[in-house]
Amino acid sequence: MAKTKYIFVTGGVTSSLGKGIVSASLAKLLQERGYKVTIQKLDPYINIDPGTLNPYEHGECFVTDDGAETDLDLGHYERFLNIRTSQNNNVTTGRIYQTVIEKERKGEYLGKTVQVIPHITDEIKRRIQILGNNNEYDIIITEIGGTIGDIESLPYVEAVRQLNWELGDGSMAIIHLTLVPYLAAAGELKTKPTQHSVKMLMESGVQPDILVCRTDRHLTKEVRKKIALFTNVRPENVIESIDAETIYDVPLLMLQEELDKAVLKKLNLPIGNEPKMDAWIDFLNKFKNPKDTIKIALVGKYVELHDAYKSIHESLIHGATYNHLKLELDWVHSEKLSDDEIIEHIKKSDGVIIAPGFGSRGVEGKITALKYARENKIPLFGICFGMQLAAIEFARNVLGLKGANSTELNPHTKIPVISLLEDQKLNLLGGTMRLGNQTCRLEKDSHTYKIYKNDTINERHRHRYEFNSNFEKKFEKNGMKIAGRDIKTNLVEILEYEDHPWFITTQFHPEYKSTVLNPHPLFVNFIKTAYQLKNNK
Ligand code: GLN
């Protein structure tokens, strides 16, 4: 098999130009041309991973099958490409330094002075090439986080320069994403920021092969020529990336602009067949031509930053789209709103999602939402913390156990319906999270089984606390069904309230597995039922 080839995507001028979406779109086109592709994100911050970051910093933490806590861009990669990523697909500066420092402590550098060049850059290059080592992929796309000119990004740019020199012609392509702003006062698109950004990249010894120019209006031939002239890039490799109505338009826009062809040419690879985008276009048509709307309330404490619930939002879009509906998402703040306000939001919704979360802020608001939706038979989908709080609400209001709680929220509670397992208590500092893919067996007579049409499912986890098995009998006797258990440990994975049209809460995170071409059955069914009930009202 031919050697793996590499594509690097850097960003210039400003952040938030959509590097992740452009990378995922390019990967999608190459995949549909028959290449085996994966994407990696290099993040220039010093945290080892985003697991400990407040969602307000970088949005949600995406969890992979192997339990890596990663950047939310990996979610875009999986949703666009229908592939699975892993720890190797997301590397931070913290992890690079950790590896180098551990090696230094073990004496592996044989007394040498350990420096950014070559030791840190060597480790960066090693991490980039790990994915290519077993020849599983034809092409690896590496997205470099941050903006050219940031001090933090320098070692990464240097690593790209070195790799370009080491691997030689035809082995890699460098894409630079920039902004071409329109200046109303001048009535013109301005190329100067792009010129400067490329100049900065070239000062580091990196000449981009392709420019992807984010713009709110079409680039004329003249503008493209001007950019090409000043940046040493071929005019046909100046690609326009115009603001799109939805991120799902971007692969098709990149196809029109022939970004995939430009890359393949640079990599000396055959252009192959036209990408088969039929299923994608079909999804997009449904998305753009909905028959009706569906209103879902998402109850969480980070709702001001929509990226904090990215995967749930996208999964709901998938679910709505496959039901030919337009999603109207009502972001309900569980901490700032009063109980009455929360209930007002829920009354106006066709279904309710109780979001995952950590810590006690906003918990009572979520419990109010749970109680109202349960008692008023409004479709309710609880995810992770959402399941734990459903258990607490049920214990308090149905079983009459007023002090029921999670030991996360009240370590001294007398009625710990949610708690740590005995062996977790010994090891409180780190390492106690249940992370990644695990197998769950569903009860054949459960609602969830009917939806999955399968008795064993694999879903991803990210939590520390568990449903306390001492309460199982009491719950089941009073109408809260344990619909699924972990196949190895027997831990409770799903609670369903039986006297209700749709009340499913899961300890796992189904939202990490929904993709454009493979929407998650729980989300599709949740929306479908919510819509049916809306029409029966
Ligand atoms: N805080 C809960 C736990 O640690 C739930 C976590 C989550 O919702 N992801 O178990």
Side-chain angles (χ1 to χ4, degrees):
M1 198 179 130
K3 247 178 48 200
T4 304
K5 309 230 175 184
Y6 295 89
I7 299 170
F8 291 89
V9 183
T10 59
V13 186
T14 164
S15 58
S16 308
L17 290 182
K19 237 185 308 165
I21 299 295
V22 167
S23 303
S25 300
L26 170 62
K28 177 79 202 160
L29 297 176
L30 296 174
Q31 187 189 49
E32 291 299 336
R33 283 190 187 274
Y35 289 100
K36 282 197 243 67
V37 189
T38 192
I39 321 190
Q40 176 190 47
K41 171 102 191 263
L42 303 182
D43 275 313
Y45 52 71
I46 296 173
N47 306 65
I48 302 291
D49 62 41
T52 53
L53 286 175
N54 182 318
Y56 283 133
E57 293 283 317
H58 290 274
E60 90 173 1
C61 172
F62 186 79
V63 179
T64 53
D65 272 350
D66 62 343
E69 297 178 273
T70 70
D71 186 79
L72 61 73
D73 270 337
L74 272 76
H76 290 307
Y77 306 162
E78 293 205 358
R79 287 187 287 272
F80 272 51
L81 299 175
N82 227 354
I83 56 163
R84 299 292 181 226
T85 57
S86 72
Q87 179 66 71
N88 288 335
N89 296 71
N90 190 200
V91 181
T92 68
T93 294
R95 203 173 279 277
I96 303 270
Y97 270 81
Q98 188 185 42
T99 311
V100 170
I101 291 170
E102 276 168 8
K103 269 168 92 175
E104 186 272 337
R105 288 292 84 185
K106 285 193 209 138
E108 288 182 28
Y109 293 109
L110 305 174
K112 286 250 183 271
T113 311
V114 180
Q115 294 176 297
V116 174
I117 302 171
H119 302 103
I120 294 296
T121 46
D122 279 353
E123 179 58 19
I124 294 174
K125 288 189 288 179
R126 189 183 74 81
R127 295 275 182 168
I128 290 170
Q129 290 172 294
I130 285 179
L131 286 168
N133 277 349
N134 47 5
N135 264 348
E136 204 182 316
Y137 301 105
D138 303 314
I139 301 172
I140 291 165
I141 301 181
T142 300
E143 180 193 343
I144 299 182
T147 307
I148 293 303
D150 296 347
I151 291 177
E152 294 89 5
S153 306
L154 278 176
Y156 294 96
V157 177
E158 169 61 13
V160 171
R161 185 196 68 77
Q162 291 177 18
L163 268 180
N164 200 17
W165 181 75
E166 286 165 20
L167 297 176
D169 257 7
S171 298
M172 59 184 269
I174 300 169
I175 300 176
H176 189 55
L177 188 61
T178 78
L179 176 70
V180 180
Y182 178 79
L183 226 58
E188 267 183 352
L189 282 167
K190 289 295 180 188
T191 64
K192 194 71 84 189
T194 300
Q195 295 176 34
H196 278 291
S197 174
V198 174
K199 201 169 147 195
M200 204 145 28
L201 200 53
M202 285 162 87
E203 279 167 10
S204 306
V206 174
Q207 163 70 54
D209 303 302
I210 296 163
L211 297 178
V212 176
C213 305
R214 182 72 186 266
T215 170
D216 69 354
R217 60 205 66 208
H218 290 296
L219 301 183
T220 58
K221 252 207 176 112
E222 287 67 44
V223 171
R224 290 185 201 236
K225 252 168 101 181
K226 188 171 173 191
I227 293 174
L229 177 69
F230 278 101
T231 57
N232 241 354
V233 169
R234 302 167 75 93
E236 66 270 24
N237 286 357
V238 177
I239 306 282
E240 165 192 293
S241 168
I242 199 154
D243 292 354
E245 180 189 330
T246 152
I247 54 170
Y248 301 115
D249 276 330
V250 180
L252 299 173
L253 292 172
M254 291 302 111
L255 180 63
Q256 256 172 33
E257 283 284 306
E258 304 191 340
L259 172 63
D260 51 337
K261 282 189 186 163
V263 165
L264 290 170
K265 233 188 206 160
K266 174 69 199 167
L267 295 176
N268 285 337
L269 287 171
I271 300 294
N273 302 324
E274 273 307 288
K276 291 186 294 300
M277 298 298 286
D278 306 9
W280 190 274
I281 293 170
D282 190 44
F283 170 85
L284 206 53
N285 282 339
K286 286 195 186 97
F287 178 86
K288 291 193 176 177
N289 304 295
K291 292 199 193 114
D292 204 347
T293 59
I294 184 89
K295 192 163 181 178
I296 302 295
L298 174 68
V299 187
K301 70 172 167 178
Y302 296 115
V303 292
E304 299 97 325
L305 181 73
H306 295 179
D307 271 0
Y309 301 110
K310 194 78 200 165
S311 292
I312 294 178
H313 191 181
E314 293 298 321
S315 302
L316 285 168
I317 290 177
H318 302 161
T321 304
Y322 280 94
N323 281 295
H324 302 269
L325 298 170
K326 179 179 163 58
L327 174 72
E328 256 180 52
L329 196 53
D330 184 17
W331 304 85
V332 181
H333 205 299
S334 62
E335 190 185 6
K336 294 200 179 140
L337 298 182
S338 68
D339 285 355
D340 287 347
E341 286 169 327
I342 289 176
I343 289 171
E344 275 316 301
H345 278 277
I346 293 187
K347 274 186 184 161
K348 284 188 236 141
S349 304
D350 307 314
V352 181
I353 298 260
I354 306 293
F358 292 84
S360 52
R361 286 194 300 110
V363 157
E364 297 306 323
K366 285 180 176 171
I367 289 183
T368 301
L370 276 158
K371 179 168 189 283
Y372 189 85
R374 186 177 55 74
E375 290 176 344
N376 293 282
K377 301 204 185 330
I378 298 171
L380 183 126
F381 191 175
I383 300 177
C384 203
F385 210 23
M387 184 198 95
Q388 299 178 354
L389 298 177
I392 293 170
E393 189 278 320
F394 178 79
R396 289 183 189 171
N397 300 322
V398 178
L399 303 182
L401 304 169
K402 287 290 166 234
N405 217 331
S406 161
T407 54
E408 175 182 8
L409 308 169
N410 175 7
H412 309 294
T413 175
K414 296 254 157 42
I415 311 168
V417 284
I418 306 293
S419 69
L420 292 177
L421 300 176
E422 280 309 312
D423 56 341
Q424 283 177 308
K425 290 181 187 160
L426 304 172
N427 179 20
L428 254 184
L429 293 174
T432 56
M433 277 251 230
R434 184 138 79 101
L435 282 166
N437 225 16
Q438 283 168 17
T439 307
C440 164
R441 170 147 301 135
L442 300 178
E443 294 296 331
K444 286 248 164 70
D445 59 350
S446 67
H447 188 185
T448 313
Y449 172 80
K450 281 191 204 101
I451 295 171
Y452 276 94
K453 299 187 180 70
N454 205 335
D455 63 353
T456 41
I457 59 169
N458 289 295
E459 294 285 2
R460 297 179 195 169
H461 290 254
R462 182 177 184 242
H463 60 101
R464 197 166 271 123
Y465 294 82
E466 304 285 352
F467 183 84
N468 182 341
S469 58
N470 295 335
F471 292 88
E472 286 179 8
K473 279 212 182 86
K474 244 192 168 148
F475 268 59
E476 293 229 89
K477 239 175 71 199
N478 290 282
M480 188 65 104
K481 185 177 180 58
I482 296 171
R485 291 171 183 277
D486 184 85
I487 213 160
K488 282 200 196 125
T489 57
N490 231 18
L491 287 167
V492 171
E493 295 278 48
I494 301 161
L495 289 175
E496 290 179 6
Y497 186 57
E498 291 175 305
D499 182 23
H500 197 285
W502 211 105
F503 191 104
I504 296 177
T505 66
T506 63
Q507 185 59 79
F508 51 78
H509 290 262
E511 74 273 22
Y512 292 138
K513 285 216 171 158
S514 189
T515 71
V516 171
L517 299 185
N518 224 344
H520 196 290
L522 281 179
F523 284 91
V524 176
N525 191 274
F526 170 63
I527 301 273
K528 183 176 165 198
T529 310
Y531 186 64
Q532 281 166 355
L533 292 170
K534 169 187 170 171
N535 288 334
N536 293 345
K537 261 186 206 163

